């Protein structure tokens, strides 16, 4: 066990902060919430440690998971885990949610297991996400023009 934690085996490994090791995003696609998590190399997430919630007027269905890999954990037993890129969907009914509260737990292969992490993710449709990118681009162009005008006046 001590070797798994890096004790007495040389310098301790550098672990990423949880928000860098696991980077979730979510969007609405039709009547589904689509959740994506970019998982850093050398890290993994447990499927059974995910929890999702949203607005009280929205009812979430059963998550649709991709196949994962089986991992034996000395505390949790045999678990399905994900590495690299994870994408799953959750059907919903009722009001269209504005945000998703996502809780998950993962570990580093080098021996560190993170406490459960909770993120509140804004939800956008693919169409409105595109408009948001266009709006950001327009604002950046406007800021550039204002800066140019200010510099020209000097």
């Amino acid at each position: 066990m001590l070797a798994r934690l890096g004790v007495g085996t040389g310098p301790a490994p550098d672990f990423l902060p949880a928000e860098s090791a696991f980077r979730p995003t979510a969007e609405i696609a039709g009547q589904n919430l689509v959740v994506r998590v970019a998982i850093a190399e050398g890290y993994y997430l447990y499927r059974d440690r995910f929890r999702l919630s949203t607005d009280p007027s929205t009812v979430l269905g059963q998550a649709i998971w991709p196949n994962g890999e089986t991992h034996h954990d000395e505390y949790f037993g045999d678990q399905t885990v994900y590495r690299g890129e994870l994408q799953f969907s959750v059907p919903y009914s009722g009001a269209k949610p504005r945000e998703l509260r996502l809780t998950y737990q993962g570990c580093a292969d080098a021996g560190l297991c993170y406490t459960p992490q909770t993120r509140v993710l804004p939800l956008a449709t693919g169409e409105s996400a595109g408009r948001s990118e266009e709006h950001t681009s327009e604002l950046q162009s406007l800021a550039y023009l204002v800066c140019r005008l200010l510099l020209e006046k000097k």
Side-chain angles (χ1 to χ4, degrees):
M1 169 89 174
L2 292 177
R4 181 171 183 231
L5 296 174
V7 175
T9 61
D14 290 326
F15 294 107
L16 293 172
E19 60 273 4
S20 297
F22 313 110
R23 297 179 314 280
T25 59
E27 68 180 14
I28 296 173
Q31 286 297 116
N32 290 293
L33 305 181
V34 178
V35 178
R36 292 179 184 87
V37 185
I39 305 167
E41 186 174 339
Y43 294 79
Y44 57 92
L45 286 173
Y46 292 100
R47 179 174 62 194
D48 291 343
R49 306 297 287 173
F50 274 88
R51 300 292 176 262
L52 296 92
S53 63
T54 189
D55 309 331
S57 56
T58 304
V59 178
L60 296 178
Q62 195 71 17
I64 302 165
W65 298 97
N67 292 330
E69 68 179 64
T70 300
H71 172 79
H72 182 76
D73 182 278
E74 64 183 284
Y75 299 105
F76 299 133
D78 287 339
Q79 296 286 310
T80 299
V81 300
Y82 298 100
R83 298 174 183 277
E85 194 75 30
L86 168 62
Q87 178 178 315
F88 64 95
S89 62
V90 181
Y92 76 90
S93 60
K96 183 183 282 189
R98 294 183 183 190
E99 60 187 26
L100 175 67
R101 184 178 177 88
L102 180 71
T103 300
Y104 52 89
Q105 186 174 14
C107 299
D109 288 329
L112 174 73
C113 285
Y114 295 87
T115 60
Q117 304 292 307
T118 299
R119 299 275 308 273
V120 177
L121 306 172
L123 292 169
T125 62
E127 181 180 304
S128 65
R131 281 199 306 268
S132 176
E133 289 171 14
E134 290 170 14
H135 183 67
T136 300
S137 178
E138 290 170 5
L139 289 176
Q140 288 170 340
S141 297
L142 182 60
Y144 172 77
L145 290 174
V146 168
C147 287
R148 292 276 316 244
L149 289 172
L150 290 173
L151 289 173
E152 288 176 8
K153 288 189 176 202
K154 284 190 173 185

